[in-house]
Amino acid sequence: MSLLDYFRKSKPKSAAIAKERLQILVAHERTARNRPSYLPQLQKELLDVIRKYVNVDQDAISVNFEQDENQETLELNIVLPDYQQENKSVNM
Amino acid sequence: MSLLDYFRKSKPKSAAIAKERLQILVAHERTARNRPSYLPQLQKELLDVIRKYVNVDQDAISVNFEQDENQETLELNIVLPDYQQENKSVNM
């Protein structure tokens, strides 16, 4: 299964709630367990980068952090504001 | 299927090649197609953030960018250097 398929399956089917969304996933396979995780700190910095491109309300972000023996994953789901509301320009 | 399950299925089975890995996925569901994608630019900035935490060789990064009608996904796979080789400290 490709990554694109995963996201296709994951997203809501209804076209009525067609909001723009940005989803960021970070997975860290760890071999050394004695070091502190840097994902929580990384999360803040990633959001700072995202905010350069789009307006993101704090309310519009949902965060999920999962951890098991060998791996930790950070998932950020962001509902983007409507195009009309955006006032930041993207500098390409 | 949870996100963690997806990554569990995706990773190589062999313990002999147990390198530390960092995988970053960005999915952007787009409703307006007339704006330029900012994912390529975002990719560079995300890598800059990652490099604050771990040493990443350019050779150790593989990038996959997929695009369809409604969505684009950016996938970064990074093989991290062995612990012994790292010389950057993580400032928590």
Side-chain angles (χ1 to χ4, degrees), chain A residues 3-90:
Chain A
L3 181 63
L4 202 59
D5 289 333
Y6 174 80
F7 284 112
R8 259 194 218 107
K9 287 182 184 177
S10 302
K11 70 182 179 184
K13 293 282 185 286
S14 170
I17 54 166
K19 284 270 182 187
E20 288 222 10
R21 283 166 219 276
L22 194 64
Q23 190 172 27
I24 301 174
L25 318 175
V26 182
H28 185 197
E29 281 179 47
R30 306 176 71 184
T31 53
R33 297 290 304 161
N34 54 339
R35 283 177 292 165
S37 170
Y38 49 76
L39 288 198
Q41 183 62 31
L42 189 61
Q43 171 192 326
K44 291 179 204 163
E45 299 209 35
L46 293 180
L47 283 173
D48 287 343
V49 170
I50 299 294
R51 285 203 174 90
K52 292 183 188 176
Y53 296 90
V54 282
N55 290 319
V56 179
D57 288 337
Q58 199 59 41
D59 296 346
I61 304 167
S62 68
V63 177
N64 182 35
F65 184 70
E66 293 184 46
Q67 203 164 18
D68 74 1
E69 198 180 343
N70 302 310
Q71 184 165 267
E72 50 190 21
T73 58
L74 171 69
E75 179 176 4
L76 300 175
N77 284 292
I78 302 169
V79 178
L80 299 178
D82 294 336
Y83 185 32
Q84 291 78 359
Q85 295 172 13
E86 290 184 33
N87 56 31
K88 287 186 183 176
S89 65
V90 176

Side-chain angles (χ1 to χ4, degrees), chain B residues 9-37:
Chain B
K9 286 182 183 177
S10 302
K11 70 183 180 184
K13 294 281 184 287
S14 170
I17 53 165
K19 283 270 183 189
E20 288 221 8
R21 281 168 219 276
L22 194 64
Q23 189 172 27
I24 301 174
L25 317 176
V26 182
H28 184 198
E29 282 179 45
R30 306 176 73 183
T31 55
R33 297 290 304 161
N34 53 339
R35 283 176 293 164
S37 170

